[in-house]
Every structure is written in structure tokens, then in C-alpha cells.
């Protein structure tokens, strides 16, 4: 019989290997950003960062472009998160608690929207946004990103509300609480893990989105980081260290944010999966 500590050791090693594979691309971006040209194209790859080259990060921030791009990405991601959750809560509640004609069809349509590629909707959305003067604005990107992430947010919240006992709502109604009060004071606090999960999904969808951003934004100062980084790629040359430095600054905050909230994501995604 294998000793218990052997199995624990193997699991720890497996976790460390998976963690190393996941973190290595971020580490490699950091090392590449701190590698000069002579070593960058050498036969042997540099595996340890040269902190004497840290000025590439300072220069990237000093120029102002990277700071502006990161700020725009944060505004778009935060706006998408707030709007999609604000609309997803009542939609998920309606699908969970109310009975109406076509309810199943609505859920199917919401699920079907996740099968549509974003590139397929670029042309009709471009024409629609031009008509309503939403092109070249962060608000337009917030709207289009929210439209694409709202269905999955609503379906996740519906599953979480399905798992809540109806007796809690009935008791609140007996005490005179209105439906909106029941939703905001009782249901929303109880589905907090699911809200955290949907917030992460919405945030990362908008943070990483590229197709709509590169199509609908024309002014360089309005571009998010996902588009700005691509602008470094030139016809005659590409500043690889600068690209990697900005890419690292674009990726690292998202990774750190996910590490802090990942336990809520797991809890939220499984909420409502088992009904008691």
C-alpha cells in the first residue's frame, strides 16, 4: 500500500507543474522585455531577467500611450461588468421565478447567441453604431461588449437563483416586501459567489476584446490596450522589448485579479448545480 504522504507529494508536484506551465508565458514576456537586442537574437535563450534593462517599462509608461491604453481598457472592462450584471440580475430572476409564454425559447435564444462569432456581427453593428453616433467612443464598446456577455451572465445567475429556496421570498412577501426588495435584499446577497463569477467573465471578455475595438475605434487616444499593442508591429521593424513590456503590463493585472477571485468563480459557477 502506498504511504499517504507519497500521494500528497505527487499531487503537489502535479500542481506545481501545471502552475509553471500556466505562469511561464507571463514570465517569458517579462524576461524578453528585459533582454537587449544582442542577447535577444543569440543562439542561447536568456532565462533570467536582466533588471538593468528595466528602463523599457519606464519608457513605455513615460510616453503616455501605454497608460492611456490601459486606462481605456479598464474603463471598458469596468463599464461592461457593471452594465451586464445590472441587466443580468433582473433577467436571470425573471427566467428563474416568473412563468410566461416563450420562457424556454428565451433561454434557448440566449444560449444560441453564444454560438455567434463576433466577426459575423461586425458589419451590421458598424452600420447601426454609425447611425446612432456610437463609433469611436468607449461607451459604444461598453454597449457591444455587454450585449455579447449578457446572455451568459443571465444564464449563470438564473442557475444560482434556481438553487435558492422559494420559502425565503414567500416569507419576505408575507412581511410586506415588494418584488424589487426581495430581489435586492434577499436574492442578491445569497448569490454573491455567482455575481463574482459573472463579474470575472464580463471583465475579462471586455478586457481582452479586440475585433470590435479595432473596428469601431479610430482615434489612437481612444484605443484599448488590446489594439494599442498591435500598433507596435511595423512594416520595417517591431520594438520587441517595448511590445513585451506593454503586453506584460496588460496581462499581469488580469492574472493577479483572477488569482484573488478564483475561489469565488468556482463557487459561483457551481451554484445551483445541485438542488436540495
Amino acid at each position: 500500500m502506498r504511504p499517504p504522504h507519497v500521494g500528497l507529494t505527487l499531487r503537489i508536484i502535479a500542481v506545481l507543474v501545471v502552475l509553471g506551465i500556466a505562469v511561464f508565458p507571463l514570465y517569458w514576456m517579462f524576461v524578453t522585455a528585459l533582454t537587449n537586442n544582442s542577447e535577444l537574437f543569440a543562439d542561447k535563450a536568456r532565462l533570467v531577467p536582466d533588471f538593468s534593462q528595466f528602463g523599457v517599462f519606464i519608457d513605455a509608461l513615460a510616453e503616455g500611450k501605454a497608460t492611456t491604453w490601459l486606462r481605456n481598457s479598464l474603463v471598458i472592462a469596468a463599464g461592461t461588468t457593471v452594465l451586464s450584471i445590472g441587466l443580468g440580475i433582473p433577467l436571470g430572476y425573471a427566467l428563474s421565478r416568473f412563468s410566461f409564454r416563450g420562457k424556454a425559447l428565451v433561454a434557448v435564444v440566449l444560449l444560441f447567441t453564444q454560438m455567434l462569432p463576433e466577426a459575423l456581427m461586425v458589419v451590421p453593428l458598424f452600420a447601426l453604431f454609425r447611425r446612432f453616433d456610437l463609433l469611436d467612443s468607449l461607451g459604444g464598446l461598453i454597449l457591444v461588449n455587454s450585449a455579447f456577455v449578457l446572455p451568459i451572465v443571465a444564464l449563470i445567475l438564473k442557475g444560482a437563483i434556481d438553487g435558492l429556496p422559494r420559502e425565503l421570498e414567500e416569507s419576505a412577501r408575507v412581511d410586506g416586501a415588494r418584488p424589487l426588495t426581495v430581489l435586492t435584499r434577499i436574492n442578491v446577497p445569497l448569490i454573491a459567489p455567482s455575481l463574482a463569477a459573472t463579474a470575472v467573465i464580463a471583465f475579462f471578455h471586455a478586457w481582452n476584446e479586440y475585433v470590435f475595438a479595432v473596428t469601431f475605434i479610430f482615434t489612437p487616444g481612444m484605443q484599448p490596450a488590446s489594439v494599442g499593442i498591435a500598433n507596435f508591429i511595423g512594416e520595417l521593424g517591431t520594438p520587441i522589448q517595448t511590445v513585451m513590456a506593454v503586453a506584460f503590463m496588460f496581462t499581469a493585472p488580469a492574472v493577479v485579479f483572477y488569482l484573488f477571485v478564483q475561489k469565488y468563480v468556482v463557487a459561483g459557477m457551481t451554484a445551483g448545480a445541485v438542488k436540495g
Side-chain angles (χ1 to χ4, degrees):
M1 183 176 180
R2 186 173 60 183
H5 66 273
V6 175
L8 178 62
T9 302
L10 293 176
R11 286 195 294 270
I12 293 175
I13 293 175
V15 170
L16 292 177
V17 170
V18 174
L19 181 63
I21 295 174
V23 174
F24 182 76
L26 186 64
Y27 175 77
W28 189 249
M29 282 193 295
F30 184 71
V31 172
T32 304
L34 299 180
T35 304
N36 56 47
N37 287 330
S38 60
E39 293 180 307
L40 188 63
F41 300 102
D43 295 335
K44 294 183 179 180
R46 184 182 185 89
L47 298 178
V48 180
D50 181 8
F51 289 98
S52 64
Q53 304 291 326
F54 196 79
V56 66
F57 285 92
I58 299 176
D59 293 340
L61 292 174
E63 291 181 2
K65 292 181 179 180
T67 305
T68 301
W69 295 337
L70 292 172
R71 182 197 63 198
N72 293 339
S73 293
L74 180 60
V75 170
I76 295 169
T80 299
T81 302
V82 172
L83 182 59
S84 60
I85 291 180
L87 296 176
I89 290 175
L91 179 56
Y93 182 75
L95 291 174
S96 175
R97 291 297 192 246
F98 296 141
S99 297
F100 53 88
R101 182 177 299 177
K103 175 180 175 179
L105 179 61
V106 172
V108 171
V109 170
L110 290 177
L111 186 61
F112 178 75
T113 59
Q114 300 305 297
M115 305 177 189
L116 293 175
E118 292 183 352
L120 186 66
M121 304 298 296
V122 167
V123 174
L125 284 176
F126 185 91
L128 185 65
F129 274 40
R130 182 173 60 181
R131 180 175 181 180
F132 290 98
D133 197 23
L134 291 173
L135 295 176
D136 204 25
S137 69
L138 299 183
L141 287 182
I142 291 174
L143 287 176
V144 70
N145 286 325
S146 299
F148 270 83
V149 78
L150 176 60
I152 191 64
V153 169
L155 291 175
I156 291 175
L157 295 181
K158 174 190 177 300
I161 296 174
D162 284 342
L164 299 180
R166 290 180 179 266
E167 290 78 7
L168 294 176
E169 300 177 20
E170 294 172 356
S171 298
R173 292 194 184 97
V174 170
D175 293 335
R178 297 186 176 184
L180 182 60
T181 303
V182 172
L183 176 61
T184 56
R185 298 291 183 86
I186 296 179
N187 289 331
V188 169
L190 292 176
I191 61 172
S194 295
L195 289 175
T198 54
V200 171
I201 293 173
F203 185 90
F204 278 100
H205 173 86
W207 182 266
N208 297 319
E209 201 280 322
Y210 176 81
V211 175
F212 292 131
V214 75
T215 306
F216 297 161
I217 299 295
F218 315 125
T219 305
M222 300 292 292
Q223 292 175 338
S226 58
V227 177
I229 294 174
N231 291 337
F232 280 120
I233 301 175
E235 182 179 355
L236 301 178
T238 300
I240 297 179
Q241 292 90 342
T242 303
V243 172
M244 289 299 175
V246 178
F248 179 84
M249 290 187 289
F250 175 64
T251 307
V255 173
V256 173
F257 172 66
Y258 181 78
L259 290 177
F260 276 107
V261 301
Q262 57 88 19
K263 63 179 180 180
Y264 300 107
V265 174
V266 175
M269 293 297 290
T270 57
V274 178
K275 293 173 127 181

